[in-house]
Amino acid sequence: MQLNVCSSQQHSLPLPEEESSNNMASKILLSLALFAAACSSIALASDPSPLQDFCVADKENPVKVNGFVCKDPMHVNANDFFASGLQTPGDIKKDVGSAVTTVNVDNLPGLNTLGISMVRIDFVPQGINPPHTHPRATEILTLLEGTLLVGFVSSNQDGNRLFSKVLYKGDVFVFPEGMVHFQHNVGYENAVAIAALSSQNAGVITIANTVFGSKPDIPIDILAKAFRTHAHIIAAIQAKF
């Protein structure tokens, strides 16, 4: 996260009139150097690095924080850093033709505070991982088997440009944080991908489910205007979610 306070604020440096020009110049240079150092520190601000070797999630602790409270390190063992199951294909959802198997802090407590997680994605032919976004993470995907069409759409500010590529075995593609993205198995065989995400709990917002499946429903007239279509079409789509 960058805070552009340095470029948006102007600071005057009042100096006594009786000081010599050399002293004035020295004080100005010193003040500018200190201010530049402070601005550099602010501009590089981000989530702090862990202050201990690990912070295994204590899910039984009633205290709520941004993440999980640390388990007593003396009660930590190797199983806290271990998970299995990614060798097994997930249960394919028939409506989209894909399955996502997630390894994050919810099932691997040792990920707490480490800023990383991963998923396995299985696809049947023509299966999709529908357009979605991860609000807290960048994703980097490696295709292990099959052929995938992947892509993401940039923000309104960038003109909603589509960046898309067909991936083959061993190819890698990255989806920037917060961008709406998708995958589609365009091959004739099943496809398998592994993706890493830059958060212990990246979150996922599937666009169709969010817009048409909210509880309670978003008013139909709002969606009809947003999608530039008729209300009965929106109602029919909402009925599917």
Side-chain angles (χ1 to χ4, degrees):
M1 176 179 67
Q2 294 189 352
L3 305 176
N4 296 321
V5 297
C6 303
S7 60
S8 63
Q9 298 181 4
Q10 295 182 356
H11 294 257
S12 60
L13 298 170
L15 296 170
E17 294 180 358
E18 63 271 14
E19 291 188 8
S20 68
S21 59
N22 287 339
N23 286 340
M24 291 173 64
S26 298
K27 288 190 175 184
I28 290 173
L29 290 174
L30 177 60
S31 297
L32 289 175
L34 292 173
F35 184 63
C39 287
S40 175
S41 175
I42 292 172
L44 295 176
S46 63
D47 290 337
S49 299
L51 300 179
Q52 60 278 319
D53 290 346
F54 48 79
C55 174
V56 173
D58 181 359
K59 296 184 181 178
E60 303 303 320
N61 196 307
V63 176
K64 303 298 182 184
V65 296
N66 187 20
F68 292 94
V69 173
C70 299
K71 185 178 179 179
D72 184 340
M74 299 308 296
H75 297 161
V76 168
N77 58 57
N79 286 331
D80 291 313
F81 302 96
F82 172 80
S84 63
L86 287 189
Q87 76 280 7
T88 304
D91 294 328
I92 299 294
K93 294 182 179 179
K94 294 182 180 179
D95 55 342
V96 293
S98 68
V100 179
T101 305
T102 302
V103 177
N104 61 20
V105 70
D106 288 331
N107 51 20
L108 206 172
L111 288 176
N112 194 40
T113 76
L114 298 186
I116 194 169
S117 58
M118 66 188 306
V119 298
R120 168 181 172 144
I121 316 172
D122 293 281
F123 303 84
V124 296
Q126 297 306 310
I128 65 169
N129 190 7
H132 63 282
T133 179
H134 302 294
R136 296 182 289 275
T138 294
E139 175 182 348
I140 184 167
L141 179 145
T142 302
L143 184 59
L144 303 182
E145 298 290 344
T147 307
L148 287 183
L149 170 67
V150 304
F152 70 89
V153 179
S154 65
S155 65
N156 296 3
Q157 183 179 2
D158 187 65
N160 301 123
R161 291 189 293 160
L162 172 64
F163 296 85
S164 186
K165 187 81 173 176
V166 175
L167 304 186
Y168 302 95
K169 183 176 181 178
D171 289 345
V172 177
F173 198 84
V174 66
F175 306 102
E177 181 174 337
M179 298 294 100
V180 175
H181 58 285
F182 63 88
Q183 298 102 31
H184 178 204
N185 182 1
V186 293
Y188 298 101
E189 305 292 337
N190 289 351
V192 182
I194 290 286
L197 301 111
S198 60
S199 171
Q200 67 183 42
N201 188 4
V204 60
I205 301 172
T206 305
I207 305 305
N209 297 57
T210 302
V211 173
F212 297 108
S214 66
K215 306 298 180 192
D217 291 339
I218 297 174
I220 287 177
D221 59 330
I222 293 177
L223 295 181
K225 286 184 179 180
F227 286 91
R228 303 174 190 179
T229 189
H230 298 290
H232 70 273
I233 294 176
I234 297 297
I237 297 174
Q238 284 183 328
K240 297 179 183 296
F241 289 86

